Amino acid sequence: MQTERRYRSLLVNPFFLNGLIWLVVLMVYQLGWSRLCPSLSDGMLFFLISTSVLSILSGVWYFQYHTISFLPLKDFSVKAITRCLIVLWILFIIEIAAAGGSPLLAYLGVGPKVLYDEFGLAGVHVIVVNGLSCVAIYTFYAYRSTQDKVVRKRLLYILCATLLPFILMFNRGGTMTILLGMFLILLLSTSSPVKIIWRAVFVGISILFIFGVMGNMRWKAHGSSGNHLEKIILQVGKASPEFQKSSIPKEFFWGYLYIATPLGNVQNTINRVKERESDTQDLQDMMLYEFTPEIITKRIKGEDSKETKKHQAILITQSLNATSVYGRVYKFLGWGGMWAMFAFTMLFILINLNIVPKNSKWFLPVLITIDEIIIMNLFDNMFIFMGMIPQLFIFLLIYFFQRNKIRVN
């Protein structure tokens, strides 16, 4: 039995989200908890505010003329979902066997030293990460579409089984992405979004604290020692005296650095790069390195090409290397590169929102994946990242193969 809810929410609109999240980043940045982060220039402030306003207005316009609502699945197969999960788990176990353990166990002192950034088999890891993410999103969609207690219980077991590998891999980004996707589905499928948002604020604060604890664990695994790991990150992140003297738990400094330093790296790049005239080759390079998935770029230019290094962002510190979707584009075309990336983002959203009909069972998974990409763009360029962009391709491919079969109510 499916529910008949058809709720709408502006917050799951990727146009609106793109503007909202950058405004949130801007507000967090202004807290000034780290002396590493340079002051934002007038040009950066104008760019962030104007693009955020344009995104929000576009979201409001799209919301008025194109209904995005939660349509419960008409039919889904728990057995099919389970079969997919089993295949992915087999591949994951092969990766664990090849590595001799998992990053989480290594960080806890169990088994050989296996670092997160070194875990996984080439090719296989892309399938495992993106496949599990797809299963998680579709499973939670199915969970919110039925009131059958037995089916919901089985789906919860499946959902836990999709999250466990990310925990074992110590993949905080992957875990966060799935949780974000689940939150957005929940937001779209409830009649009380305000209550969900308030609960999400509490959960979000708790997650930021846990991330701080996990961050200390990763530093310990990389060789840091002693009983004052939190002081190490305060030193590396150059926490401001005001923050150090405050009563705010120091674990939150990790969250601040994750949110603020990508923008700090963009500003630092702008400060350090000398203005010059760009040419056609710069435009071509930007299209190749910033708009094209890495798997294609590497086939054309190679993994360690000089051009790749030439256009890297100038970091405020090597320990904090997240640069957001705007991290490198300034080095290609200056402010023109920044605006080109914003335009590409808007076009990416518009095109992908209109590929799958809104009454298809695959529209919501595609929508949520677009939202995830837009949110995670705060940390890196997800348009080229093979840990996420294949998730969108998977849902689109499944839709094209099944578009004449099953639809939602």
Side-chain angles (χ1 to χ4, degrees), residues 63-115:
F63 184 75
Q64 290 179 338
Y65 295 98
H66 301 273
T67 300
I68 296 178
S69 59
F70 180 84
L71 303 179
L73 284 171
K74 183 179 180 180
D75 190 19
F76 57 88
S77 172
V78 177
K79 289 184 178 179
I81 298 173
T82 304
R83 286 195 293 267
C84 291
L85 181 62
I86 291 173
V87 172
L88 293 168
W89 257 95
I90 291 174
L91 294 176
F92 177 60
I93 291 173
I94 292 174
E95 288 193 305
I96 291 179
S102 75
L104 177 62
L105 295 177
Y107 295 154
L108 294 175
V110 180
K113 186 175 182 179
V114 181
L115 299 180

Side-chain angles (χ1 to χ4, degrees), residues 106-153:
Y107 295 154
L108 294 175
V110 180
K113 186 175 182 179
V114 181
L115 299 180
Y116 156 71
D117 50 4
E118 298 176 357
F119 179 80
L121 299 173
V124 175
H125 198 61
V126 173
I127 296 173
V128 171
V129 171
N130 288 280
L132 287 171
S133 296
C134 288
V135 171
I137 293 303
Y138 189 75
T139 299
F140 193 69
Y141 182 18
Y143 176 83
R144 294 295 296 172
S145 297
T146 182
Q147 296 299 320
D148 189 307
K149 293 183 179 179
V150 176
V151 174
R152 285 168 69 92
K153 187 176 181 179

